[in-house]
PDB file of all heavy atoms in Angstrom:
ATOM      1  N   TRP K   1       4.878 -14.405  -5.814  1.00 97.00           N
ATOM      2  CA  TRP K   1       4.060 -15.057  -6.823  1.00 97.00           C
ATOM      3  C   TRP K   1       4.728 -16.287  -7.428  1.00 97.00           C
ATOM      4  O   TRP K   1       5.959 -16.333  -7.607  1.00 97.00           O
ATOM      5  CB  TRP K   1       3.707 -14.061  -7.941  1.00 97.00           C
ATOM      6  CG  TRP K   1       2.341 -14.362  -8.483  1.00 97.00           C
ATOM      7  CD1 TRP K   1       2.013 -14.935  -9.666  1.00 97.00           C
ATOM      8  CD2 TRP K   1       1.105 -14.168  -7.789  1.00 97.00           C
ATOM      9  NE1 TRP K   1       0.651 -15.087  -9.764  1.00 97.00           N
ATOM     10  CE2 TRP K   1       0.078 -14.639  -8.618  1.00 97.00           C
ATOM     11  CE3 TRP K   1       0.782 -13.648  -6.528  1.00 97.00           C
ATOM     12  CZ2 TRP K   1      -1.268 -14.571  -8.256  1.00 97.00           C
ATOM     13  CZ3 TRP K   1      -0.541 -13.587  -6.169  1.00 97.00           C
ATOM     14  CH2 TRP K   1      -1.552 -14.045  -7.023  1.00 97.00           C
ATOM     15  N   PRO K   2       3.925 -17.308  -7.755  1.00 95.00           N
ATOM     16  CA  PRO K   2       4.470 -18.480  -8.437  1.00 95.00           C
ATOM     17  C   PRO K   2       4.914 -18.110  -9.871  1.00 95.00           C
ATOM     18  O   PRO K   2       4.387 -17.156 -10.445  1.00 95.00           O
ATOM     19  CB  PRO K   2       3.284 -19.469  -8.450  1.00 95.00           C
ATOM     20  CG  PRO K   2       2.063 -18.614  -8.312  1.00 95.00           C
ATOM     21  CD  PRO K   2       2.467 -17.439  -7.513  1.00 95.00           C
ATOM     22  N   THR K   3       5.879 -18.822 -10.388  1.00 90.00           N
ATOM     23  CA  THR K   3       6.406 -20.061  -9.832  1.00 90.00           C
ATOM     24  C   THR K   3       7.754 -19.855  -9.154  1.00 90.00           C
ATOM     25  O   THR K   3       8.315 -20.793  -8.557  1.00 90.00           O
ATOM     26  CB  THR K   3       6.565 -21.114 -10.969  1.00 90.00           C
ATOM     27  OG1 THR K   3       7.439 -20.579 -11.959  1.00 90.00           O
ATOM     28  CG2 THR K   3       5.226 -21.409 -11.624  1.00 90.00           C
ATOM     29  N   TYR K   4       8.282 -18.648  -9.218  1.00 92.00           N
ATOM     30  CA  TYR K   4       9.618 -18.389  -8.668  1.00 92.00           C
ATOM     31  C   TYR K   4       9.566 -17.870  -7.236  1.00 92.00           C
ATOM     32  O   TYR K   4      10.562 -17.887  -6.534  1.00 92.00           O
ATOM     33  CB  TYR K   4      10.325 -17.329  -9.532  1.00 92.00           C
ATOM     34  CG  TYR K   4       9.499 -16.120  -9.763  1.00 92.00           C
ATOM     35  CD1 TYR K   4       9.365 -15.124  -8.794  1.00 92.00           C
ATOM     36  CD2 TYR K   4       8.803 -15.951 -10.960  1.00 92.00           C
ATOM     37  CE1 TYR K   4       8.563 -14.022  -8.983  1.00 92.00           C
ATOM     38  CE2 TYR K   4       8.002 -14.833 -11.169  1.00 92.00           C
ATOM     39  CZ  TYR K   4       7.889 -13.880 -10.187  1.00 92.00           C
ATOM     40  OH  TYR K   4       7.077 -12.780 -10.365  1.00 92.00           O
ATOM     41  N   GLY K   5       8.412 -17.373  -6.785  1.00 94.00           N
ATOM     42  CA  GLY K   5       8.321 -16.663  -5.517  1.00 94.00           C
ATOM     43  C   GLY K   5       8.063 -17.569  -4.317  1.00 94.00           C
ATOM     44  O   GLY K   5       7.848 -18.776  -4.434  1.00 94.00           O
ATOM     45  N   PHE K   6       8.054 -16.934  -3.159  1.00 96.00           N
ATOM     46  CA  PHE K   6       7.774 -17.622  -1.889  1.00 96.00           C
ATOM     47  C   PHE K   6       6.566 -16.947  -1.242  1.00 96.00           C
ATOM     48  O   PHE K   6       6.597 -15.778  -0.908  1.00 96.00           O
ATOM     49  CB  PHE K   6       8.988 -17.536  -0.968  1.00 96.00           C
ATOM     50  CG  PHE K   6       8.811 -18.301   0.311  1.00 96.00           C
ATOM     51  CD1 PHE K   6       8.362 -19.637   0.324  1.00 96.00           C
ATOM     52  CD2 PHE K   6       9.097 -17.700   1.529  1.00 96.00           C
ATOM     53  CE1 PHE K   6       8.203 -20.327   1.509  1.00 96.00           C
ATOM     54  CE2 PHE K   6       8.936 -18.387   2.728  1.00 96.00           C
ATOM     55  CZ  PHE K   6       8.493 -19.700   2.689  1.00 96.00           C
ATOM     56  N   PRO K   7       5.464 -17.690  -1.085  1.00 97.00           N
ATOM     57  CA  PRO K   7       4.199 -17.039  -0.703  1.00 97.00           C
ATOM     58  C   PRO K   7       4.150 -16.482   0.715  1.00 97.00           C
ATOM     59  O   PRO K   7       3.203 -15.775   1.038  1.00 97.00           O
ATOM     60  CB  PRO K   7       3.165 -18.161  -0.902  1.00 97.00           C
ATOM     61  CG  PRO K   7       3.931 -19.414  -0.803  1.00 97.00           C
ATOM     62  CD  PRO K   7       5.299 -19.118  -1.359  1.00 97.00           C
ATOM     63  N   LEU K   8       5.118 -16.782   1.546  1.00 97.00           N
ATOM     64  CA  LEU K   8       5.093 -16.204   2.890  1.00 97.00           C
ATOM     65  C   LEU K   8       5.129 -14.689   2.833  1.00 97.00           C
ATOM     66  O   LEU K   8       4.528 -14.003   3.689  1.00 97.00           O
ATOM     67  CB  LEU K   8       6.292 -16.721   3.718  1.00 97.00           C
ATOM     68  CG  LEU K   8       6.287 -16.345   5.193  1.00 97.00           C
ATOM     69  CD1 LEU K   8       5.094 -16.938   5.932  1.00 97.00           C
ATOM     70  CD2 LEU K   8       7.592 -16.788   5.830  1.00 97.00           C
ATOM     71  N   PHE K   9       5.759 -14.121   1.820  1.00 97.00           N
ATOM     72  CA  PHE K   9       5.843 -12.655   1.686  1.00 97.00           C
ATOM     73  C   PHE K   9       4.473 -12.012   1.473  1.00 97.00           C
ATOM     74  O   PHE K   9       4.281 -10.850   1.808  1.00 97.00           O
ATOM     75  CB  PHE K   9       6.758 -12.287   0.513  1.00 97.00           C
ATOM     76  CG  PHE K   9       8.202 -12.635   0.742  1.00 97.00           C
ATOM     77  CD1 PHE K   9       8.847 -13.531  -0.100  1.00 97.00           C
ATOM     78  CD2 PHE K   9       8.934 -12.044   1.748  1.00 97.00           C
ATOM     79  CE1 PHE K   9      10.186 -13.843   0.094  1.00 97.00           C
ATOM     80  CE2 PHE K   9      10.271 -12.361   1.964  1.00 97.00           C
ATOM     81  CZ  PHE K   9      10.894 -13.259   1.127  1.00 97.00           C
ATOM     82  N   ILE K  10       3.523 -12.772   0.930  1.00 97.00           N
ATOM     83  CA  ILE K  10       2.216 -12.198   0.606  1.00 97.00           C
ATOM     84  C   ILE K  10       1.465 -11.755   1.860  1.00 97.00           C
ATOM     85  O   ILE K  10       0.631 -10.872   1.817  1.00 97.00           O
ATOM     86  CB  ILE K  10       1.354 -13.193  -0.215  1.00 97.00           C
ATOM     87  CG1 ILE K  10       0.202 -12.491  -0.947  1.00 97.00           C
ATOM     88  CG2 ILE K  10       0.785 -14.295   0.684  1.00 97.00           C
ATOM     89  CD1 ILE K  10       0.606 -11.758  -2.162  1.00 97.00           C
ATOM     90  N   PHE K  11       1.807 -12.410   2.998  1.00 97.00           N
ATOM     91  CA  PHE K  11       1.129 -12.066   4.244  1.00 97.00           C
ATOM     92  C   PHE K  11       1.520 -10.699   4.797  1.00 97.00           C
ATOM     93  O   PHE K  11       0.902 -10.192   5.731  1.00 97.00           O
ATOM     94  CB  PHE K  11       1.411 -13.130   5.308  1.00 97.00           C
ATOM     95  CG  PHE K  11       0.812 -14.483   4.982  1.00 97.00           C
ATOM     96  CD1 PHE K  11       1.623 -15.578   4.717  1.00 97.00           C
ATOM     97  CD2 PHE K  11      -0.573 -14.647   4.925  1.00 97.00           C
ATOM     98  CE1 PHE K  11       1.057 -16.819   4.437  1.00 97.00           C
ATOM     99  CE2 PHE K  11      -1.130 -15.895   4.646  1.00 97.00           C
ATOM    100  CZ  PHE K  11      -0.304 -16.964   4.392  1.00 97.00           C
ATOM    101  N   PHE K  12       2.551 -10.098   4.213  1.00 97.00           N
ATOM    102  CA  PHE K  12       3.013  -8.789   4.670  1.00 97.00           C
ATOM    103  C   PHE K  12       3.084  -7.792   3.506  1.00 97.00           C
ATOM    104  O   PHE K  12       3.482  -6.636   3.708  1.00 97.00           O
ATOM    105  CB  PHE K  12       4.399  -8.928   5.332  1.00 97.00           C
ATOM    106  CG  PHE K  12       4.445 -10.041   6.340  1.00 97.00           C
ATOM    107  CD1 PHE K  12       4.977 -11.272   6.014  1.00 97.00           C
ATOM    108  CD2 PHE K  12       3.930  -9.852   7.625  1.00 97.00           C
ATOM    109  CE1 PHE K  12       5.025 -12.310   6.943  1.00 97.00           C
ATOM    110  CE2 PHE K  12       3.965 -10.869   8.544  1.00 97.00           C
ATOM    111  CZ  PHE K  12       4.516 -12.117   8.210  1.00 97.00           C
ATOM    112  N   ALA K  13       2.717  -8.228   2.312  1.00 97.00           N
ATOM    113  CA  ALA K  13       2.965  -7.422   1.105  1.00 97.00           C
ATOM    114  C   ALA K  13       2.137  -6.165   1.038  1.00 97.00           C
ATOM    115  O   ALA K  13       2.560  -5.154   0.490  1.00 97.00           O
ATOM    116  CB  ALA K  13       2.729  -8.296  -0.138  1.00 97.00           C
ATOM    117  N   PHE K  14       0.931  -6.193   1.565  1.00 97.00           N
ATOM    118  CA  PHE K  14       0.039  -5.027   1.465  1.00 97.00           C
ATOM    119  C   PHE K  14       0.308  -3.993   2.576  1.00 97.00           C
ATOM    120  O   PHE K  14      -0.187  -2.872   2.505  1.00 97.00           O
ATOM    121  CB  PHE K  14      -1.433  -5.431   1.537  1.00 97.00           C
ATOM    122  CG  PHE K  14      -1.923  -6.112   0.279  1.00 97.00           C
ATOM    123  CD1 PHE K  14      -2.050  -7.476   0.209  1.00 97.00           C
ATOM    124  CD2 PHE K  14      -2.258  -5.359  -0.835  1.00 97.00           C
ATOM    125  CE1 PHE K  14      -2.491  -8.103  -0.941  1.00 97.00           C
ATOM    126  CE2 PHE K  14      -2.705  -5.972  -1.997  1.00 97.00           C
ATOM    127  CZ  PHE K  14      -2.838  -7.339  -2.064  1.00 97.00           C
ATOM    128  N   ILE K  15       1.070  -4.374   3.580  1.00 97.00           N
ATOM    129  CA  ILE K  15       1.260  -3.495   4.748  1.00 97.00           C
ATOM    130  C   ILE K  15       1.902  -2.163   4.388  1.00 97.00           C
ATOM    131  O   ILE K  15       1.421  -1.098   4.797  1.00 97.00           O
ATOM    132  CB  ILE K  15       2.037  -4.234   5.862  1.00 97.00           C
ATOM    133  CG1 ILE K  15       1.199  -5.407   6.381  1.00 97.00           C
ATOM    134  CG2 ILE K  15       2.382  -3.269   6.996  1.00 97.00           C
ATOM    135  CD1 ILE K  15       1.960  -6.348   7.275  1.00 97.00           C
ATOM    136  N   PRO K  16       3.001  -2.136   3.613  1.00 97.00           N
ATOM    137  CA  PRO K  16       3.566  -0.826   3.262  1.00 97.00           C
ATOM    138  C   PRO K  16       2.566   0.086   2.532  1.00 97.00           C
ATOM    139  O   PRO K  16       2.524   1.275   2.781  1.00 97.00           O
ATOM    140  CB  PRO K  16       4.755  -1.201   2.370  1.00 97.00           C
ATOM    141  CG  PRO K  16       5.135  -2.581   2.775  1.00 97.00           C
ATOM    142  CD  PRO K  16       3.836  -3.262   3.121  1.00 97.00           C
ATOM    143  N   LEU K  17       1.780  -0.494   1.629  1.00 97.00           N
ATOM    144  CA  LEU K  17       0.792   0.308   0.914  1.00 97.00           C
ATOM    145  C   LEU K  17      -0.298   0.823   1.859  1.00 97.00           C
ATOM    146  O   LEU K  17      -0.741   1.964   1.720  1.00 97.00           O
ATOM    147  CB  LEU K  17       0.177  -0.538  -0.213  1.00 97.00           C
ATOM    148  CG  LEU K  17      -0.877   0.172  -1.088  1.00 97.00           C
ATOM    149  CD1 LEU K  17      -0.296   1.419  -1.762  1.00 97.00           C
ATOM    150  CD2 LEU K  17      -1.426  -0.794  -2.147  1.00 97.00           C
ATOM    151  N   LEU K  18      -0.709   0.009   2.792  1.00 97.00           N
ATOM    152  CA  LEU K  18      -1.700   0.431   3.774  1.00 97.00           C
ATOM    153  C   LEU K  18      -1.154   1.559   4.642  1.00 97.00           C
ATOM    154  O   LEU K  18      -1.881   2.513   4.996  1.00 97.00           O
ATOM    155  CB  LEU K  18      -2.120  -0.754   4.642  1.00 97.00           C
ATOM    156  CG  LEU K  18      -2.981  -1.833   3.951  1.00 97.00           C
ATOM    157  CD1 LEU K  18      -3.029  -3.087   4.818  1.00 97.00           C
ATOM    158  CD2 LEU K  18      -4.374  -1.306   3.677  1.00 97.00           C
ATOM    159  N   ILE K  19       0.125   1.479   4.980  1.00 96.00           N
ATOM    160  CA  ILE K  19       0.742   2.559   5.756  1.00 96.00           C
ATOM    161  C   ILE K  19       0.792   3.852   4.933  1.00 96.00           C
ATOM    162  O   ILE K  19       0.523   4.932   5.443  1.00 96.00           O
ATOM    163  CB  ILE K  19       2.164   2.123   6.207  1.00 96.00           C
ATOM    164  CG1 ILE K  19       2.078   0.988   7.224  1.00 96.00           C
ATOM    165  CG2 ILE K  19       2.918   3.317   6.790  1.00 96.00           C
ATOM    166  CD1 ILE K  19       3.436   0.397   7.590  1.00 96.00           C
ATOM    167  N   ALA K  20       1.155   3.703   3.659  1.00 95.00           N
ATOM    168  CA  ALA K  20       1.196   4.886   2.791  1.00 95.00           C
ATOM    169  C   ALA K  20      -0.171   5.562   2.699  1.00 95.00           C
ATOM    170  O   ALA K  20      -0.292   6.797   2.782  1.00 95.00           O
ATOM    171  CB  ALA K  20       1.694   4.509   1.418  1.00 95.00           C
ATOM    172  N   GLU K  21      -1.232   4.761   2.536  1.00 95.00           N
ATOM    173  CA  GLU K  21      -2.582   5.328   2.475  1.00 95.00           C
ATOM    174  C   GLU K  21      -2.944   6.005   3.784  1.00 95.00           C
ATOM    175  O   GLU K  21      -3.524   7.094   3.791  1.00 95.00           O
ATOM    176  CB  GLU K  21      -3.571   4.196   2.142  1.00 95.00           C
ATOM    177  CG  GLU K  21      -5.024   4.670   1.934  1.00 95.00           C
ATOM    178  CD  GLU K  21      -5.775   4.905   3.229  1.00 95.00           C
ATOM    179  OE1 GLU K  21      -5.475   4.225   4.240  1.00 95.00           O
ATOM    180  OE2 GLU K  21      -6.685   5.772   3.226  1.00 95.00           O
ATOM    181  N   PHE K  22      -2.587   5.391   4.904  1.00 94.00           N
ATOM    182  CA  PHE K  22      -2.884   5.953   6.213  1.00 94.00           C
ATOM    183  C   PHE K  22      -2.166   7.304   6.373  1.00 94.00           C
ATOM    184  O   PHE K  22      -2.757   8.272   6.891  1.00 94.00           O
ATOM    185  CB  PHE K  22      -2.448   4.990   7.301  1.00 94.00           C
ATOM    186  CG  PHE K  22      -2.741   5.453   8.687  1.00 94.00           C
ATOM    187  CD1 PHE K  22      -3.986   5.246   9.263  1.00 94.00           C
ATOM    188  CD2 PHE K  22      -1.767   6.100   9.438  1.00 94.00           C
ATOM    189  CE1 PHE K  22      -4.266   5.691  10.551  1.00 94.00           C
ATOM    190  CE2 PHE K  22      -2.043   6.550  10.733  1.00 94.00           C
ATOM    191  CZ  PHE K  22      -3.280   6.343  11.284  1.00 94.00           C
ATOM    192  N   ASN K  23      -0.911   7.369   5.949  1.00 93.00           N
ATOM    193  CA  ASN K  23      -0.132   8.619   6.044  1.00 93.00           C
ATOM    194  C   ASN K  23      -0.790   9.712   5.213  1.00 93.00           C
ATOM    195  O   ASN K  23      -0.946  10.862   5.661  1.00 93.00           O
ATOM    196  CB  ASN K  23       1.284   8.385   5.596  1.00 93.00           C
ATOM    197  CG  ASN K  23       2.083   7.534   6.550  1.00 93.00           C
ATOM    198  OD1 ASN K  23       1.716   7.375   7.716  1.00 93.00           O
ATOM    199  ND2 ASN K  23       3.189   6.990   6.057  1.00 93.00           N
ATOM    200  N   ILE K  24      -1.170   9.385   4.005  1.00 93.00           N
ATOM    201  CA  ILE K  24      -1.789  10.378   3.101  1.00 93.00           C
ATOM    202  C   ILE K  24      -3.128  10.830   3.665  1.00 93.00           C
ATOM    203  O   ILE K  24      -3.439  12.053   3.689  1.00 93.00           O
ATOM    204  CB  ILE K  24      -1.954   9.786   1.691  1.00 93.00           C
ATOM    205  CG1 ILE K  24      -0.597   9.517   1.057  1.00 93.00           C
ATOM    206  CG2 ILE K  24      -2.787  10.726   0.815  1.00 93.00           C
ATOM    207  CD1 ILE K  24      -0.656   8.695  -0.205  1.00 93.00           C
ATOM    208  N   ARG K  25      -3.901   9.875   4.133  1.00 91.00           N
ATOM    209  CA  ARG K  25      -5.243  10.207   4.656  1.00 91.00           C
ATOM    210  C   ARG K  25      -5.166  11.138   5.865  1.00 91.00           C
ATOM    211  O   ARG K  25      -6.028  12.007   6.059  1.00 91.00           O
ATOM    212  CB  ARG K  25      -5.964   8.906   5.044  1.00 91.00           C
ATOM    213  CG  ARG K  25      -7.365   9.128   5.536  1.00 91.00           C
ATOM    214  CD  ARG K  25      -8.104   7.868   5.942  1.00 91.00           C
ATOM    215  NE  ARG K  25      -7.421   6.634   5.837  1.00 91.00           N
ATOM    216  CZ  ARG K  25      -7.374   5.714   6.778  1.00 91.00           C
ATOM    217  NH1 ARG K  25      -7.931   5.948   7.976  1.00 91.00           N
ATOM    218  NH2 ARG K  25      -6.752   4.550   6.587  1.00 91.00           N
ATOM    219  N   ASN K  26      -4.150  10.981   6.707  1.00 90.00           N
ATOM    220  CA  ASN K  26      -4.105  11.732   7.937  1.00 90.00           C
ATOM    221  C   ASN K  26      -3.183  12.956   7.920  1.00 90.00           C
ATOM    222  O   ASN K  26      -3.267  13.802   8.820  1.00 90.00           O
ATOM    223  CB  ASN K  26      -3.650  10.803   9.081  1.00 90.00           C
ATOM    224  CG  ASN K  26      -4.715   9.824   9.487  1.00 90.00           C
ATOM    225  OD1 ASN K  26      -5.652  10.156  10.245  1.00 90.00           O
ATOM    226  ND2 ASN K  26      -4.635   8.611   8.955  1.00 90.00           N
ATOM    227  N   HIS K  27      -2.334  13.060   6.901  1.00 86.00           N
ATOM    228  CA  HIS K  27      -1.359  14.138   6.915  1.00 86.00           C
ATOM    229  C   HIS K  27      -1.392  14.999   5.648  1.00 86.00           C
ATOM    230  O   HIS K  27      -0.845  16.113   5.688  1.00 86.00           O
ATOM    231  CB  HIS K  27       0.056  13.593   7.123  1.00 86.00           C
ATOM    232  CG  HIS K  27       0.207  12.815   8.380  1.00 86.00           C
ATOM    233  ND1 HIS K  27       0.027  13.353   9.642  1.00 86.00           N
ATOM    234  CD2 HIS K  27       0.475  11.479   8.589  1.00 86.00           C
ATOM    235  CE1 HIS K  27       0.208  12.421  10.564  1.00 86.00           C
ATOM    236  NE2 HIS K  27       0.461  11.272   9.957  1.00 86.00           N
ATOM    237  N   SER K  28      -1.977  14.511   4.569  1.00 82.00           N
ATOM    238  CA  SER K  28      -2.030  15.339   3.354  1.00 82.00           C
ATOM    239  C   SER K  28      -3.273  16.192   3.385  1.00 82.00           C
ATOM    240  O   SER K  28      -4.335  15.766   3.803  1.00 82.00           O
ATOM    241  CB  SER K  28      -2.047  14.442   2.111  1.00 82.00           C
ATOM    242  OG  SER K  28      -0.805  13.776   1.967  1.00 82.00           O
ATOM    243  N   LYS K  29      -3.147  17.420   2.863  1.00 82.00           N
ATOM    244  CA  LYS K  29      -4.276  18.351   2.866  1.00 82.00           C
ATOM    245  C   LYS K  29      -4.800  18.657   1.459  1.00 82.00           C
ATOM    246  O   LYS K  29      -5.837  19.278   1.324  1.00 82.00           O
ATOM    247  CB  LYS K  29      -3.863  19.657   3.563  1.00 82.00           C
ATOM    248  CG  LYS K  29      -3.460  19.482   5.011  1.00 82.00           C
ATOM    249  CD  LYS K  29      -3.234  20.791   5.687  1.00 82.00           C
ATOM    250  CE  LYS K  29      -2.776  20.607   7.135  1.00 82.00           C
ATOM    251  NZ  LYS K  29      -3.777  19.894   7.940  1.00 82.00           N
ATOM    252  N   SER K  30      -4.091  18.217   0.443  1.00 87.00           N
ATOM    253  CA  SER K  30      -4.528  18.481  -0.924  1.00 87.00           C
ATOM    254  C   SER K  30      -4.255  17.269  -1.833  1.00 87.00           C
ATOM    255  O   SER K  30      -3.332  16.493  -1.552  1.00 87.00           O
ATOM    256  CB  SER K  30      -3.822  19.707  -1.488  1.00 87.00           C
ATOM    257  OG  SER K  30      -2.428  19.504  -1.532  1.00 87.00           O
ATOM    258  N   TRP K  31      -5.056  17.141  -2.832  1.00 91.00           N
ATOM    259  CA  TRP K  31      -4.924  16.048  -3.806  1.00 91.00           C
ATOM    260  C   TRP K  31      -4.857  14.673  -3.117  1.00 91.00           C
ATOM    261  O   TRP K  31      -4.101  13.791  -3.531  1.00 91.00           O
ATOM    262  CB  TRP K  31      -3.677  16.248  -4.671  1.00 91.00           C
ATOM    263  CG  TRP K  31      -3.615  17.574  -5.368  1.00 91.00           C
ATOM    264  CD1 TRP K  31      -2.910  18.674  -4.981  1.00 91.00           C
ATOM    265  CD2 TRP K  31      -4.284  17.929  -6.583  1.00 91.00           C
ATOM    266  NE1 TRP K  31      -3.108  19.710  -5.869  1.00 91.00           N
ATOM    267  CE2 TRP K  31      -3.931  19.279  -6.883  1.00 91.00           C
ATOM    268  CE3 TRP K  31      -5.131  17.220  -7.457  1.00 91.00           C
ATOM    269  CZ2 TRP K  31      -4.410  19.943  -7.988  1.00 91.00           C
ATOM    270  CZ3 TRP K  31      -5.604  17.895  -8.579  1.00 91.00           C
ATOM    271  CH2 TRP K  31      -5.252  19.235  -8.827  1.00 91.00           C
ATOM    272  N   VAL K  32      -5.641  14.523  -2.092  1.00 87.00           N
ATOM    273  CA  VAL K  32      -5.528  13.300  -1.264  1.00 87.00           C
ATOM    274  C   VAL K  32      -5.897  12.061  -2.086  1.00 87.00           C
ATOM    275  O   VAL K  32      -5.152  11.062  -2.096  1.00 87.00           O
ATOM    276  CB  VAL K  32      -6.423  13.431  -0.009  1.00 87.00           C
ATOM    277  CG1 VAL K  32      -6.406  12.123   0.778  1.00 87.00           C
ATOM    278  CG2 VAL K  32      -5.966  14.594   0.846  1.00 87.00           C
ATOM    279  N   LYS K  33      -7.052  12.088  -2.741  1.00 90.00           N
ATOM    280  CA  LYS K  33      -7.486  10.919  -3.508  1.00 90.00           C
ATOM    281  C   LYS K  33      -6.507  10.598  -4.630  1.00 90.00           C
ATOM    282  O   LYS K  33      -6.200   9.435  -4.907  1.00 90.00           O
ATOM    283  CB  LYS K  33      -8.896  11.144  -4.074  1.00 90.00           C
ATOM    284  CG  LYS K  33      -9.996  11.191  -3.059  1.00 90.00           C
ATOM    285  CD  LYS K  33     -11.361  11.250  -3.748  1.00 90.00           C
ATOM    286  CE  LYS K  33     -12.506  11.285  -2.738  1.00 90.00           C
ATOM    287  NZ  LYS K  33     -12.576  12.548  -2.020  1.00 90.00           N
ATOM    288  N   LEU K  34      -6.006  11.626  -5.274  1.00 93.00           N
ATOM    289  CA  LEU K  34      -5.070  11.424  -6.372  1.00 93.00           C
ATOM    290  C   LEU K  34      -3.764  10.804  -5.856  1.00 93.00           C
ATOM    291  O   LEU K  34      -3.183   9.913  -6.513  1.00 93.00           O
ATOM    292  CB  LEU K  34      -4.762  12.753  -7.041  1.00 93.00           C
ATOM    293  CG  LEU K  34      -3.864  12.688  -8.301  1.00 93.00           C
ATOM    294  CD1 LEU K  34      -4.509  11.827  -9.374  1.00 93.00           C
ATOM    295  CD2 LEU K  34      -3.576  14.098  -8.813  1.00 93.00           C
ATOM    296  N   LYS K  35      -3.304  11.223  -4.693  1.00 93.00           N
ATOM    297  CA  LYS K  35      -2.094  10.656  -4.111  1.00 93.00           C
ATOM    298  C   LYS K  35      -2.291   9.174  -3.751  1.00 93.00           C
ATOM    299  O   LYS K  35      -1.412   8.337  -3.980  1.00 93.00           O
ATOM    300  CB  LYS K  35      -1.663  11.458  -2.881  1.00 93.00           C
ATOM    301  CG  LYS K  35      -1.154  12.829  -3.197  1.00 93.00           C
ATOM    302  CD  LYS K  35      -0.820  13.609  -1.926  1.00 93.00           C
ATOM    303  CE  LYS K  35      -0.310  15.006  -2.232  1.00 93.00           C
ATOM    304  NZ  LYS K  35      -0.038  15.800  -1.005  1.00 93.00           N
ATOM    305  N   VAL K  36      -3.466   8.869  -3.153  1.00 93.00           N
ATOM    306  CA  VAL K  36      -3.770   7.456  -2.835  1.00 93.00           C
ATOM    307  C   VAL K  36      -3.806   6.619  -4.080  1.00 93.00           C
ATOM    308  O   VAL K  36      -3.246   5.529  -4.143  1.00 93.00           O
ATOM    309  CB  VAL K  36      -5.096   7.358  -2.050  1.00 93.00           C
ATOM    310  CG1 VAL K  36      -5.534   5.912  -1.928  1.00 93.00           C
ATOM    311  CG2 VAL K  36      -4.949   7.999  -0.677  1.00 93.00           C
ATOM    312  N   PHE K  37      -4.483   7.149  -5.101  1.00 95.00           N
ATOM    313  CA  PHE K  37      -4.532   6.415  -6.362  1.00 95.00           C
ATOM    314  C   PHE K  37      -3.133   6.234  -6.950  1.00 95.00           C
ATOM    315  O   PHE K  37      -2.810   5.155  -7.452  1.00 95.00           O
ATOM    316  CB  PHE K  37      -5.433   7.167  -7.348  1.00 95.00           C
ATOM    317  CG  PHE K  37      -5.552   6.486  -8.688  1.00 95.00           C
ATOM    318  CD1 PHE K  37      -6.464   5.455  -8.868  1.00 95.00           C
ATOM    319  CD2 PHE K  37      -4.746   6.855  -9.752  1.00 95.00           C
ATOM    320  CE1 PHE K  37      -6.571   4.811 -10.086  1.00 95.00           C
ATOM    321  CE2 PHE K  37      -4.836   6.200 -10.974  1.00 95.00           C
ATOM    322  CZ  PHE K  37      -5.753   5.191 -11.132  1.00 95.00           C
ATOM    323  N   GLY K  38      -2.309   7.246  -6.846  1.00 95.00           N
ATOM    324  CA  GLY K  38      -0.976   7.179  -7.423  1.00 95.00           C
ATOM    325  C   GLY K  38      -0.090   6.120  -6.773  1.00 95.00           C
ATOM    326  O   GLY K  38       0.547   5.328  -7.446  1.00 95.00           O
ATOM    327  N   VAL K  39      -0.071   6.117  -5.424  1.00 95.00           N
ATOM    328  CA  VAL K  39       0.783   5.120  -4.730  1.00 95.00           C
ATOM    329  C   VAL K  39       0.257   3.707  -4.954  1.00 95.00           C
ATOM    330  O   VAL K  39       1.035   2.758  -5.118  1.00 95.00           O
ATOM    331  CB  VAL K  39       0.933   5.437  -3.246  1.00 95.00           C
ATOM    332  CG1 VAL K  39       1.677   6.755  -3.014  1.00 95.00           C
ATOM    333  CG2 VAL K  39      -0.404   5.452  -2.517  1.00 95.00           C
ATOM    334  N   SER K  40      -1.056   3.552  -4.975  1.00 96.00           N
ATOM    335  CA  SER K  40      -1.610   2.199  -5.156  1.00 96.00           C
ATOM    336  C   SER K  40      -1.350   1.730  -6.596  1.00 96.00           C
ATOM    337  O   SER K  40      -1.000   0.569  -6.822  1.00 96.00           O
ATOM    338  CB  SER K  40      -3.109   2.177  -4.857  1.00 96.00           C
ATOM    339  OG  SER K  40      -3.833   3.064  -5.702  1.00 96.00           O
TER     340      SER K  40
END
């Protein structure tokens, strides 16, 4: 983020969160929505 940051990072910034959601969606059996909400 401006003004101190470098915007190239923004092109990859959501990927870890998307991976976390994918993991929870496919491997968690309880409190799934709450876990997704929590990590996001």
